[in-house]
Amino acid sequence: MKGILVSFLLLLFCQYAHSQEYYVYVTAESEDEVSLIKFDGVKTNIIENKAVGVWPAEIEGPHGITVDPSGKFWYLSLAHGNPYGTLYKFKTGSNEYVAKVELGLFPASMEISKATGLLYCVNFNLHGDMVPSSVSVVDPEEMIEIDRITTGVMPHGSRISPDGLYQYSVGMMSGELFEIDALGMKVSRKLILDEEKGMDHGQMDHSQMDHSKMDHSKMNHGMKGMNHSKTKPTWVMPHPDGKRAYVAGNGSNEILEIDLTTWTVSSRWPCEKGPYNIDVSPDGNLLVVSYKTAGKTGIWDLTSNEQVAVIKNSNKVTHGVAISSDSKYAFVSVEGIGGDPGAMDVVDLTKNEIVTTAYLGKQAGGIAFWKVEK
């Protein structure tokens, strides 16, 4: 009798321990599909694979995705178009289409400010000329683009400060960090992230140079005032305390800590190859990094500023990271190679290990945490 009671209590405990359900949206860029996934603490279940796009015969590339602060809607950037990309709005849960608006060339990552209620989406301009691109400012209620703010070359990683007053993004090829005043809708500060400024190719005397021995990574090829960044930043993530931010140095294989008060690079942490996306746990204790080239995920303790774990992902080409609102799990998208299915690895941040994997459409990329329910 006692054994039966113990077994019953253990069963109740297990059910309680895994009673929380987590919901995540993940894009499949080469499948024109968005998956809504439920994780119950043990296993994943794909609730729906939502087909997106308007041209069935073409890949339109769903890239960036975000859920609004109210949790009622999710927004998706379709990177490809004629020639511009598009921002779509859907209802969460039912995934019902609401509206769309055309943005710039290759719209990518985005987020909504809780202070202004506006959505800020970077126009990555992947296939355009190597010139400064922009951040589109959208009224998500009316789905109207109300402004377009010029920033750097190939902007990426649009993220909002905890108070909603500032938007941050990086210029991948120009090696810059940008801060936009969300109320004034203008660039308020710009920071060069490379340790050594590259050469301005337009100002060189080519007659005195041995072109075969030059380091072209530091040159501006035909564009006056433009440098090819060694850092190649791909993401920026503000810390919940509002005093610092973290940048993925995809080209230099380092994580940059930015002091937002002094507007300086306060630390550079060497890391695995190809850091790509970053998220910081809501409790401020951990930083999780996708190492795209290495096919791994890194976990950093922000108290000691040390990497405490490096986890090999379920496949190669690790992409995006989203941490649950309770700071317990990191959801990591993995693109795969060629015809491989995409995947979402669930990382237990208390054990620093992958607990389960959901297999999705090809080239899983953009990822957004929606909610946790009991």
Side-chain angles (χ1 to χ4, degrees), residues 61-317:
H63 187 80
I65 189 167
T66 194
V67 176
D68 77 338
S70 74
K72 295 180 179 179
F73 300 98
W74 57 276
Y75 299 81
L76 175 74
S77 62
L78 258 66
H80 307 291
N82 277 327
Y84 303 110
T86 309
L87 175 70
Y88 283 78
K89 178 180 182 179
F90 299 87
K91 291 182 180 179
T92 51
S94 69
N95 302 320
E96 177 186 347
Y97 165 79
V98 179
K100 66 178 180 179
V101 59
E102 186 178 82
L103 300 183
L105 290 169
F106 206 98
S109 46
M110 73 197 87
E111 201 164 47
I112 294 176
S113 163
K114 66 181 183 181
T116 67
L118 300 176
L119 182 148
Y120 302 78
C121 181
V122 294
N123 295 304
F124 187 58
N125 194 16
L126 177 63
H127 305 297
D129 295 331
M130 295 289 288
V131 295
S133 188
S134 60
V135 174
S136 287
V137 183
V138 177
D139 179 345
E141 284 288 325
E142 302 295 329
M143 287 298 282
I144 298 173
E145 183 184 37
I146 60 176
D147 204 350
R148 195 173 289 186
I149 304 167
T150 300
T151 54
V153 181
M154 297 177 75
H156 206 241
S158 175
R159 285 296 177 263
I160 307 294
S161 62
D163 59 12
L165 296 178
Y166 298 97
Q167 184 264 0
Y168 296 96
S169 64
V170 289
M172 180 177 173
M173 295 309 294
S174 53
E176 299 164 298
L177 170 64
F178 292 89
E179 178 186 79
I180 288 177
D181 181 335
L183 296 175
M185 287 193 287
K186 62 180 181 180
V187 175
S188 50
R189 294 189 291 185
K190 180 176 73 172
L191 180 64
I192 301 295
L193 298 173
D194 291 337
E195 288 187 282
E196 296 180 6
K197 186 177 180 181
M199 303 177 190
D200 184 347
H201 199 69
Q203 298 294 318
M204 293 179 180
D205 181 358
H206 290 259
S207 66
Q208 304 297 318
M209 298 180 180
D210 183 348
H211 199 71
S212 66
K213 295 181 180 179
M214 293 179 182
D215 182 357
H216 288 256
S217 67
K218 295 181 179 180
M219 296 181 183
N220 178 327
H221 291 273
M223 295 172 289
K224 185 176 180 180
M226 187 59 62
N227 301 300
H228 285 272
S229 172
K230 179 181 178 182
T231 304
K232 287 187 175 63
T234 50
W235 205 262
V236 56
M237 185 68 201
H239 190 276
D241 66 10
K243 298 177 181 179
R244 46 192 159 146
Y246 299 91
V247 172
N250 184 260
S252 56
N253 298 323
E254 61 184 352
I255 306 300
L256 286 68
E257 183 184 58
I258 311 299
D259 186 319
L260 295 177
T261 302
T262 61
W263 196 240
T264 58
V265 178
S266 51
S267 296
R268 293 176 183 267
W269 308 334
C271 63
E272 299 283 328
K273 290 185 178 180
Y276 190 61
N277 281 191
I278 289 175
D279 200 8
V280 175
S281 58
D283 62 15
N285 294 331
L286 299 175
L287 179 144
V288 181
V289 185
S290 64
Y291 296 128
K292 190 169 188 176
T293 307
K296 300 175 182 178
T297 296
I299 301 174
W300 293 76
D301 183 330
L302 293 181
T303 302
S304 63
N305 292 342
E306 293 181 350
Q307 187 168 241
V308 294
V310 178
I311 302 165
K312 185 177 180 180
N313 287 109
S314 57
N315 206 336
K316 296 181 179 179
V317 194

Side-chain angles (χ1 to χ4, degrees), residues 42-65:
V42 177
K43 62 184 184 300
T44 57
N45 179 38
I46 297 176
I47 303 299
E48 182 181 359
N49 289 322
K50 173 75 173 180
V52 294
V54 294
W55 299 319
E58 296 187 27
I59 298 297
E60 296 168 71
H63 187 80
I65 189 167

Side-chain angles (χ1 to χ4, degrees), residues 22-33:
Y22 301 80
Y23 294 83
V24 184
Y25 283 97
V26 187
T27 70
E29 198 160 338
S30 291
E31 204 81 54
D32 280 359
E33 191 173 81

